[in-house]
Amino acid sequence: YRVWLDLANNLTQLIESRKLRELVHKMPVLSPHLLNNHRELRLAHLALGFISMGYVWQEGQHEPILPKALAWPYWLISRRLGLPPILTYADSVLANWKLKDPTGNMDLIFSFPGGESCRGFFTVSLLVEMAASTGIKVSKVAKLRLIKITCFVLDADHVEPNAFHGTLRIFVSGWRDNPMLPRGLLYEGVSNEPILLSGGSAAQSSAIQCFDALLCIQHEGETGAFLTRMRDYMPPAHRQLIETLSVCPSLRDFITTCSSSDLCQAYNSCVSALVDLRSYHLNTVAKYVIVPGNHARSMGCPLRGVGTALNSTGTGGSNLMVFLKSVRNTTQRALILERPKHQEKHEWNAAK
């Protein structure tokens, strides 16, 4: 499988020199049956995912067929992992890093691809996940604050908006709800019909959806349907955890029926922190996606079709700003309104 890793390791240069497709066409069709464990499968899924995205978008125009040398092993590996055959958030963020020194500080190496803005984007996303996972374990609102601080420091230091937008177009533009591939992508040797799949998206973050489930924040309509569909792009164990949390007894209902103002305040603090995070996310998207996208369109960038789509459409296929505002507003509505003191006293006496 060295040929896969060699292409993935040199992906940025191969795309810029327009040589990636030529080398993919020379690839042998390899069976993935020699991949023996979960780590090897995740690495293969990561490498083939990046190569596939680069192959499809190298020229900035639609390529409706993924060659069998990519499509067939990618499909089989995806089935074994329970993931779709496209580059997902679980690939580019969760499985794309290692510690430079396992015994030292949090100094990260990202596997694919190169470039400061690309690494900065993945670093931001990964540290959000690390802070969020700690927050899920200890349920402290401070952890949500840490996510916001982490994002602010990293995007200011490592991610240049226009360069980031170029990276985004190539590596997270899927083939569902994308005008460049209106019928989807044909996986040669796998299916006779094109397949529609969404690109990588923060909506595929299992950690953030866990916060929604824990805090009983229920997104409805198109927003709720989209978030539910994004769970299909998560590792199966992550998806199962969210579904389990979603059917547990409601934490919010318990708090609204008890008389503890401290519990109510703690719950509202958590929800408010999540509102702040989503407001920050909305502003960040405007800075790194909407504004650079408009600039790229006015300059006539080579990937103008993909860039134009991403100006208003999220990488997962959502209507970007409408979706983000809906998610933020629904989170805000979950706040428990303060009850009048006389009502609390009445409820307390009734409970006694």
Side-chain angles (χ1 to χ4, degrees):
Y1 307 112
R2 173 55 56 186
V3 63
W4 297 348
L5 295 179
D6 286 345
L7 288 181
N9 279 317
N10 295 289
L11 199 60
T12 303
Q13 296 88 339
L14 293 174
I15 291 172
E16 291 175 350
S17 63
R18 301 292 193 265
K19 293 181 179 178
L20 178 61
R21 287 186 181 177
E22 176 186 349
L23 293 177
V24 167
H25 293 155
K26 295 178 180 178
M27 277 174 49
V29 180
L30 301 177
S31 168
H33 73 279
L34 293 176
L35 299 171
N36 295 317
N37 58 54
H38 184 75
R39 290 176 63 86
E40 290 180 355
L41 287 167
R42 289 297 298 272
L43 177 58
H45 197 271
L46 172 67
L48 292 177
F50 269 117
I51 296 169
S52 296
M53 302 304 275
Y55 179 88
V56 171
W57 301 119
Q58 174 183 290
E59 305 295 339
Q61 60 190 34
H62 66 84
E63 173 56 64
I65 300 177
L66 195 66
K68 185 176 180 179
L70 275 177
W72 188 67
Y74 197 16
W75 181 269
L76 295 178
I77 290 166
S78 299
R79 289 186 63 183
R80 288 173 65 179
L81 287 170
L83 289 169
I86 191 171
L87 189 72
T88 66
Y89 186 92
D91 296 312
S92 60
V93 177
L94 301 186
N96 193 24
W97 64 278
K98 62 182 177 182
L99 292 175
K100 186 177 292 185
D101 177 7
T103 62
N105 296 326
M106 181 62 90
D107 197 0
L108 306 175
I109 301 174
F110 281 85
S111 303
F112 322 115
E116 280 300 314
S117 287
C118 195
R119 283 195 292 269
F121 170 56
F122 293 139
T123 302
V124 168
S125 301
L126 176 62
L127 292 185
V128 166
E129 292 294 321
M130 289 180 170
S133 63
T134 307
I136 289 172
K137 291 178 183 177
V138 301
S139 300
K140 288 186 178 178
V141 68
K143 300 304 177 182
L144 280 172
R145 304 290 185 194
L146 175 61
I147 297 173
K148 182 176 177 181
I149 295 168
T150 299
C151 289
F152 177 78
V153 171
L154 284 167
D155 73 29
D157 290 346
H158 297 294
V159 184
E160 197 281 317
N162 289 327
F164 164 68
H165 189 266
T167 297
L168 186 75
R169 288 196 308 273
I170 293 176
F171 295 122
V172 298
S173 298
W175 21 97
R176 174 170 177 158
D177 300 320
N178 190 327
M180 296 296 290
L181 288 170
R183 296 184 63 244
L185 186 70
L186 185 66
Y187 285 64
E188 186 180 24
V190 172
S191 171
N192 293 325
E193 296 294 329
I195 296 171
L196 292 166
L197 290 171
S198 298
S201 167
Q204 296 167 10
S205 166
S206 40
I208 301 302
Q209 289 215 32
C210 271
F211 278 123
D212 279 341
L214 285 166
L215 297 172
C216 307
I217 298 168
Q218 298 181 345
H219 303 282
E220 299 177 344
E222 293 184 6
T223 298
F226 175 76
L227 287 170
T228 299
R229 179 163 63 82
M230 288 298 99
R231 295 177 189 174
D232 295 336
Y233 295 79
M234 300 175 185
H238 294 205
R239 183 165 62 244
Q240 184 178 356
L241 173 61
I242 295 168
E243 291 169 355
T244 299
L245 290 172
S246 298
V247 297
C248 284
S250 169
L251 173 64
R252 188 178 188 278
D253 287 350
F254 169 76
I255 293 172
T256 57
T257 56
C258 76
S259 57
S260 172
S261 58
D262 289 341
L263 272 180
C264 184
Q265 183 177 355
Y267 174 85
N268 280 344
S269 295
C270 290
V271 173
S272 295
L274 196 53
V275 171
D276 289 345
L277 175 64
R278 284 179 158 148
S279 295
Y280 182 84
H281 184 202
L282 204 157
N283 293 332
T284 302
V285 165
K287 178 179 178 181
Y288 289 100
V289 179
I290 303 300
V291 173
N294 291 335
H295 175 74
R297 180 173 56 183
S298 66
M299 296 296 290
C301 72
L303 291 177
R304 66 175 67 89
V306 186
T308 302
L310 281 178
N311 288 347
S312 59
T313 303
T315 54
S318 63
N319 189 324
L320 191 53
M321 298 304 283
V322 172
F323 169 76
L324 292 177
K325 289 177 181 178
S326 172
V327 168
R328 191 266 316 273
N329 293 343
T330 299
T331 305
Q332 195 162 24
R333 286 195 294 271
L335 289 167
I336 299 173
L337 300 178
E338 187 175 354
R339 289 166 293 183
K341 292 295 183 181
H342 67 82
Q343 182 180 346
E344 287 188 8
K345 184 177 181 180
H346 173 75
E347 291 175 353
W348 173 247
N349 290 333
K352 288 198 295 183

